[in-house]
Amino acid sequence: MPDASAQPTTDADRAIPGPLAGYTTLRTGGPAARIVAAGSADEIVRAVRTAAEPVLILAGGSNVVIGDAGFPGTVVLVRSRGVRVIAEDATSVTVRVDAGEPWDDLVATTVANGWSGLECLSGIPGSTGATPIQNVGAYGQEVAETITGVEVYDRIQGTRQVIPAADCGFAYRGSIFKYVDRWVVLSVDFRLTRSPLSGPVRYAELARALGVEVGDQVPLADARAAVLRLRAGKGMVLDANDPDTRSVGSFFTNPVLDRATYDHLVERATELGDPPAWPGADGLVKVSAAWLIDKAGFAKGHPGEGGVAISSKHTLALTNRSGTAHTSDLLALAATIRDQVHARFGVTLHPEPVLVNCTL
């Protein structure tokens, strides 16, 4: 496959003024002291090395909430592009993807080429470089299942290195990269299966949408199309004409509870029925945050102050519905939801996006 990287230009040519709201899917956030775009891994490293602290790395802006005061340092916009085959055999292909490559463009490319492994992650906004940080997952797939290595710039050592997947600390919506400023992701390697069929469908909702049983396989294009339809129905595919998509997607992670806490939750929710839950290792149970929010009294479309609201399509998404809301408005609504869920069920919800110069 040809290298799709953009033509390089110098950092100095691309110093960009303006508020950070325009670089996030939430469309909130104040100004930065300086914004610099970097179109290659070398430019990203150079920009980070030479910038005065603090430094914020920002790519697709789909999983970040930036405070109304903005950011008091340099924001490096990751704009590197490229998808390259670096290894292949009869059954698999390994691709190296630059950090700034739009994620859904990559998924579309893999489906078109008959490479299985990312199809259920269709429609997720943001950049490829953000996916290992969050261990992005949806509809039964996680990027941790296909990532073989992550190329990073180590800001402490001042070196570039590839961290093998086994050393990335992948966990549910987490990794060693999350909430840590040490590493800047430059590229990600994915090992994908050569197959016209998806992996076994693991997610019941997706299986129903496809008209198959859990565990069945379907053509890659069918899996992608079904996921895109499901996500669009929840306002989770970016659409300039849909105010529900001015969000960071799911604002809260599904809480993972030990057995005692889960049993206590079930007792407190007796009249509501058992919450949707998924058993995990070591007796842990993952519980639906959307169910907790809804049963705590926050329905789809629930309004907050200042033009924010819960999505009209999905209770996990908090939206800048008016397009003119402030980050403080959104966080106030999030805090109200979190506190009410805890008061009702004894479970604490935690935010999924990264909070920059703001707190919840």
Side-chain angles (χ1 to χ4, degrees):
M1 175 176 293
D3 185 345
S5 299
Q7 291 296 316
T9 57
T10 66
D11 295 335
D13 288 339
R14 286 188 308 230
I16 304 170
L20 293 171
Y23 301 104
T24 71
T25 56
L26 188 58
R27 295 294 184 254
T28 68
R34 186 167 184 257
I35 304 175
V36 176
S40 69
D42 288 344
E43 287 188 11
I44 295 167
V45 171
R46 184 164 62 250
V48 172
R49 279 178 172 166
T50 59
E53 295 288 345
V55 175
L56 172 65
I57 310 301
L58 189 62
S62 62
N63 196 51
V64 63
V65 179
I66 299 174
D68 294 320
F71 187 73
T74 300
V75 173
V76 177
L77 298 177
V78 175
R79 296 296 182 257
S80 55
R81 299 286 297 268
V83 179
R84 298 170 292 282
V85 174
I86 61 169
E88 56 185 321
D89 57 32
T91 61
S92 70
V93 59
T94 300
V95 294
R96 178 163 295 161
V97 187
D98 285 335
E101 185 73 21
W103 175 253
D104 195 53
D105 288 0
L106 170 63
V107 177
T109 295
T110 65
V111 169
N113 281 280
W115 302 336
S116 174
L118 303 180
E119 59 279 354
C120 293
L121 302 176
S122 293
I124 296 175
S127 69
T128 298
T131 61
I133 298 171
Q134 183 78 357
N135 186 18
V136 163
Y139 295 103
Q141 285 183 339
E142 289 183 335
V143 293
E145 298 169 331
T146 52
I147 288 176
T148 61
V150 180
E151 184 191 10
V152 299
Y153 171 62
D154 186 331
R155 295 173 65 184
I156 293 178
Q157 300 295 330
T159 58
R160 290 169 67 163
Q161 61 179 291
V162 175
I163 300 179
D167 296 330
C168 289
F170 288 127
Y172 173 62
R173 299 300 177 269
S175 69
I176 63 170
F177 310 114
K178 192 170 183 178
Y179 306 129
V180 176
D181 292 335
R182 176 175 178 175
W183 294 287
V184 179
V185 176
L186 302 175
S187 67
V188 187
D189 293 350
F190 298 89
R191 187 174 186 269
L192 306 171
T193 301
R194 291 186 182 276
S195 173
L197 299 179
S198 71
V201 176
R202 302 172 185 163
Y203 205 78
E205 182 186 20
L206 178 57
R208 289 193 298 270
L210 288 163
V212 301
E213 299 295 323
V214 171
D216 288 348
Q217 294 177 274
V218 300
L220 290 174
D222 291 356
R224 173 170 167 79
V227 168
L228 288 172
R229 287 194 301 271
L230 287 170
R231 290 186 62 85
K234 298 174 182 178
M236 297 291 187
V237 177
L238 292 180
D239 181 348
N241 297 316
D242 183 356
D244 278 334
T245 69
R246 286 196 291 267
S247 76
V248 289
S250 298
F251 191 89
F252 295 104
T253 58
N254 290 321
V256 179
L257 311 178
D258 59 38
R259 177 56 63 173
T261 305
Y262 174 71
D263 290 343
H264 183 57
L265 165 62
V266 172
E267 290 177 7
R268 297 181 71 162
T270 300
E271 74 280 8
L272 302 172
D274 290 349
W278 302 268
D282 302 320
L284 298 176
V285 181
K286 183 167 65 175
V287 178
S288 168
W291 186 92
L292 294 171
I293 292 168
D294 180 67
K295 299 306 180 185
F298 299 96
K300 297 173 185 176
H302 179 92
E305 299 293 329
V308 301
I310 293 176
S311 168
S312 66
K313 303 179 182 69
H314 199 291
T315 52
L316 264 184
L318 307 185
T319 69
N320 176 6
R321 188 158 189 84
S322 67
T324 59
H326 295 96
T327 298
S328 55
D329 300 321
L330 185 97
L331 293 178
L333 175 58
T336 299
I337 293 169
R338 177 200 60 194
D339 294 347
Q340 184 60 31
V341 166
H342 187 270
R344 177 66 179 84
F345 298 113
V347 175
T348 300
L349 296 179
H350 297 283
E352 184 167 319
V354 176
L355 307 184
V356 176
N357 205 18
C358 57
T359 58
L360 176 59

